Amino acid sequence: MKHALRGLGLLFAQRAALAVVFVLLWTLAAARVPAFVLPGPDKVLHALVALMQTDTFSHDVLTTLSRIVTGFVLATLIGTPLGLALGSSRTLARFFEPLLAVMNTVSSAIWAVFAIIWFGISNATTIFVVFMTAMPLILTNVWQGSQNVDKLHVDLARSFRMSRTQILRKIYLPTILPYFFSGARLAFGFGWRVSLVAETLGSSDGIGYRLRQAADLVQTDQVFAWTLLLVVLMLVFESGLLKPLERRLFRWKPA
């Protein structure tokens, strides 16, 4: 217990030192250029506080979060079973592999253009872009995890006349979960980024829209404030939700 607390304390001290160095470098750089090019940390903090006091702040943040979560959930619900299907059937894998390669190659900006054409200025535009970015990542990782399932265990389960559902739950699921979480964390991170692209191009609210609005008005302190807020939200979701959930699910694994 003491060793674990000492390790957490050391990690916290390292992260705090890194943050202090970053803020010092930022302050020094901001002192040498105009504020509209690089505002200092104090100006960005004041801008963030001012934004939080506006009537539209909570609406914009919640709107962006809902779009990202919706696109990510849809990507999970569709990508996971498709990955399992490709992993359990070589015929399906050979047939759909070129299509998956194309989906992984197309950039989020192109998906955003298509989404604007198909859905216009709406929530569906951002949700679609997040989905099309996250789904291939989850599908690919689940597919790779399915390929690593021990066939001897599957044959043994069939010899005991276990149903297909039982085989999936007791053999496939424990094997693919680490791969799923690896892909999910990557997909969620990409989802945050591409949501800004989609909202910048095809939305009338949300963090991405406010970023574009501030950039058009050369309000650089607000651009940095929105960016800082987005980074903090990403870290909260990553460190406060995904990592603890992953540790809880895999607490049986040796350290």
Side-chain angles (χ1 to χ4, degrees), residues 8-249:
L8 287 174
L10 179 61
L11 179 62
F12 178 79
Q14 291 173 341
R15 298 291 171 83
L18 180 62
V20 169
V21 170
F22 174 76
V23 171
L24 286 175
L25 292 175
W26 181 4
T27 303
L28 291 173
R32 296 176 178 272
V33 296
F36 70 87
V37 175
L38 180 63
D42 56 334
K43 288 184 172 59
V44 173
L45 186 59
H46 289 154
L48 181 59
V49 172
L51 288 174
M52 293 174 68
Q53 294 173 349
T54 60
D55 296 334
T56 60
F57 177 80
S58 58
H59 170 76
D60 288 320
V61 173
L62 292 176
T63 298
T64 296
L65 288 176
S66 66
R67 290 165 177 165
I68 294 170
V69 171
T70 302
F72 178 75
V73 170
L74 288 174
T76 301
L77 293 177
I78 295 176
T80 302
L82 287 179
L84 283 170
L86 295 184
S88 59
S89 172
R90 291 183 179 180
T91 303
L92 285 177
R94 283 195 300 268
F95 184 80
F96 285 105
E97 187 173 7
L99 178 61
L100 186 59
V102 171
M103 294 175 67
N104 279 316
T105 302
V106 178
S107 71
S108 57
I110 296 176
W111 289 126
V113 172
F114 285 141
I116 292 172
I117 295 172
W118 294 333
F119 306 113
I121 307 298
S122 66
N123 287 337
T125 297
T126 303
I127 292 171
F128 175 79
V129 175
V130 173
F131 170 79
M132 292 304 298
T133 303
M135 193 273 288
L137 293 172
I138 294 175
L139 191 159
T140 301
N141 277 52
V142 172
W143 177 16
Q144 291 177 348
S146 300
Q147 290 177 319
N148 287 320
V149 171
D150 194 330
K151 301 303 180 184
L152 292 177
H153 292 169
V154 176
D155 293 338
L156 183 62
R158 287 171 178 165
S159 69
F160 282 102
R161 297 187 177 180
M162 292 176 63
S163 67
R164 190 173 185 82
T165 302
Q166 289 176 316
I167 293 174
L168 286 173
R169 181 167 55 88
K170 295 185 177 181
I171 297 176
Y172 275 84
L173 187 60
T175 303
I176 69 169
L177 269 180
Y179 293 88
F180 167 78
F181 268 93
S182 176
R185 287 172 59 183
L186 186 63
F188 197 72
F190 273 105
W192 280 99
R193 300 168 198 169
V194 302
S195 68
L196 295 185
V197 176
E199 287 183 342
T200 298
L201 297 176
S203 182
S204 59
D205 52 8
I207 295 177
Y209 171 75
R210 298 301 173 187
L211 267 170
R212 187 191 68 188
Q213 196 176 51
D216 290 342
L217 298 174
V218 199
Q219 296 172 329
T220 316
D221 54 345
Q222 291 191 18
V223 173
F224 274 76
W226 282 116
T227 304
L228 179 62
L229 175 67
L230 192 69
V231 170
V232 170
L233 289 174
M234 286 181 64
L235 291 176
V236 168
F237 270 91
E238 175 75 11
S239 302
L241 180 62
L242 293 179
K243 282 186 178 179
L245 180 60
E246 187 174 4
R247 283 197 296 266
R248 181 175 179 81
L249 287 174

